[in-house]
């Protein structure tokens, strides 16, 4: 089901460091996962996705790792920049469900200090 | 590519009035669009799933008569908040699913404030 939290986890890093944001999911039937970035007052922005037949996928400065055994997803951001400061959400879909409804994690606030 | 727009971006209305929010997929066709609501510092809460040419599917606890959804074409869905009250004040976000895949692309959101 959905995770809704009043107090989002936070992660503070220095500019240039690598960031790792974690997400646990509960539905073992989920087979498609997406990371979104949401800046204040804006809609979520697609970052990277991964399907359940993969363990790792890389993009530009970002890597997503999927561990299906423990139902864990992580987003790694290399050489974090101040512009990366935002709330990051993982989302899961069981593509067999009707219309591909997304289930969102609670989100993590990333703050990058210059 | 994969741009979703919302209009208006911000709206202030009086209690008791109705407000319509539009969601458009600009460069792709979306057989399915989703409407979310988000409170400050919280995750997105799915309100309803909108399919072109059919009735929307509402999540549990969401009043379908209060939040009217119309998906008249493959690129446009509208959400109408009827008889708005201050507790309806929130950030409303739509997403559109490209008919060719599973990825959802989000609009920029609409900030609704009901006085």
């Amino acid at each position: 089901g959905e995770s809704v939290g009043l107090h989002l986890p936070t992660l503070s890093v220095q500019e240039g460091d690598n960031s790792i944001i974690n997400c646990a999911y509960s539905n073992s039937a989920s087979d498609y996962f997406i990371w979104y970035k949401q800046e204040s007052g804006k809609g979520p922005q697609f970052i990277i996705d991964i399907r359940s037949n993969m363990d790792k996928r890389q993009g530009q400065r970002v890597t997503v790792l999927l561990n299906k055994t423990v139902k864990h997803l992580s987003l790694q951001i290399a050489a974090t920049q101040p512009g990366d400061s935002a709330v990051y959400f993982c989302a899961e879909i069981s593509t067999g469900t009707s219309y591909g409804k997304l289930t969102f994690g609670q989100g993590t606030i990333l703050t990058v200090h210059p | 590519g994969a741009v979703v727009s919302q209009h208006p971006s911000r709206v202030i209305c009086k209690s008791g009035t109705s407000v319509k929010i539009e969601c458009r997929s600009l460069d792709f066709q979306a057989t399915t669009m989703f409407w979310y609501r988000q409170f400050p510092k919280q995750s997105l809460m799915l309100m309803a799933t909108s399919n072109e040419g059919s009735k929307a599917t509402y999540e549990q606890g969401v009043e379908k008569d209060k939040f009217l959804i119309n998906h008249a074409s493959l690129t446009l869905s509208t959400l109408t908040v009827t008889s708005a009250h201050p507790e309806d004040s929130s950030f409303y976000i739509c997403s559109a699913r490209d008919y060719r895949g599973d990825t959802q692309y989000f609009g920029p959101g609409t900030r609704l404030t009901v006085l």
Side-chain angles (χ1 to χ4, degrees):
Chain A
E2 288 188 34
S3 297
V4 177
L6 291 176
H7 302 286
L8 299 181
T10 60
L11 175 64
S12 292
V13 301
Q14 290 296 126
E15 182 178 3
D17 288 350
N18 296 330
S19 302
I20 300 176
I21 300 171
N22 296 302
C23 178
Y25 65 94
S26 58
N27 186 358
S28 57
S30 293
D31 55 2
Y32 180 52
F33 304 86
I34 309 171
W35 279 100
Y36 288 96
K37 171 187 179 183
Q38 187 179 26
E39 297 177 46
S40 181
K42 298 183 180 179
Q45 175 188 358
F46 173 90
I47 301 174
I48 192 168
D49 60 357
I50 188 168
R51 296 200 178 269
S52 59
N53 61 352
M54 300 174 69
D55 298 322
K56 178 180 179 179
R57 190 160 189 232
Q58 288 185 292
Q60 188 176 14
R61 281 202 308 120
V62 294
T63 301
V64 55
L65 298 177
L66 175 63
N67 186 330
K68 296 179 288 294
T69 303
V70 295
K71 298 194 192 70
H72 184 267
L73 194 68
S74 69
L75 176 69
Q76 300 178 1
I77 305 174
T80 316
Q81 303 167 1
D84 294 327
S85 295
V87 180
Y88 289 80
F89 293 98
C90 66
E92 58 182 295
I93 301 176
S94 174
T95 56
T97 62
S98 58
Y99 310 121
K101 187 168 69 174
L102 279 174
T103 300
F104 276 87
Q106 65 175 347
T108 297
I109 301 172
L110 174 65
T111 303
V112 182
H113 300 284
Chain B
V3 177
V4 177
S5 70
Q6 272 183 250
H7 178 80
S9 59
R10 186 180 297 267
V11 57
I12 301 172
C13 69
K14 293 182 179 179
S15 185
T17 60
S18 295
V19 174
K20 179 185 284 188
I21 303 170
E22 292 186 348
C23 178
R24 294 181 184 273
S25 57
L26 298 185
D27 50 2
F28 65 99
Q29 292 184 330
T31 52
T32 306
M33 290 184 173
F34 302 85
W35 286 97
Y36 296 84
R37 185 173 181 176
Q38 186 178 35
F39 292 106
K41 298 193 183 301
Q42 292 192 25
S43 189
L44 284 75
M45 181 189 79
L46 179 65
M47 299 175 65
T49 302
S50 167
N51 289 287
E52 187 264 338
S54 64
K55 290 184 178 180
T57 303
Y58 290 82
E59 295 299 299
Q60 191 173 8
V62 178
E63 300 176 58
K64 62 179 182 180
D65 294 329
K66 182 168 183 62
F67 299 99
L68 301 178
I69 291 172
N70 183 277
H71 194 157
S73 75
L74 286 172
T75 59
L76 173 64
S77 177
T78 60
L79 168 69
T80 301
V81 183
T82 62
S83 187
H85 288 93
E87 56 265 31
D88 298 324
S89 298
S90 189
F91 194 50
Y92 292 87
I93 309 172
C94 73
S95 71
R97 179 185 171 206
D98 190 323
Y99 78 97
R100 295 165 295 183
D102 297 312
T103 306
Q104 288 184 31
Y105 299 95
F106 284 81
T110 297
R111 174 73 60 191
L112 171 63
T113 302
V114 184
L115 302 177

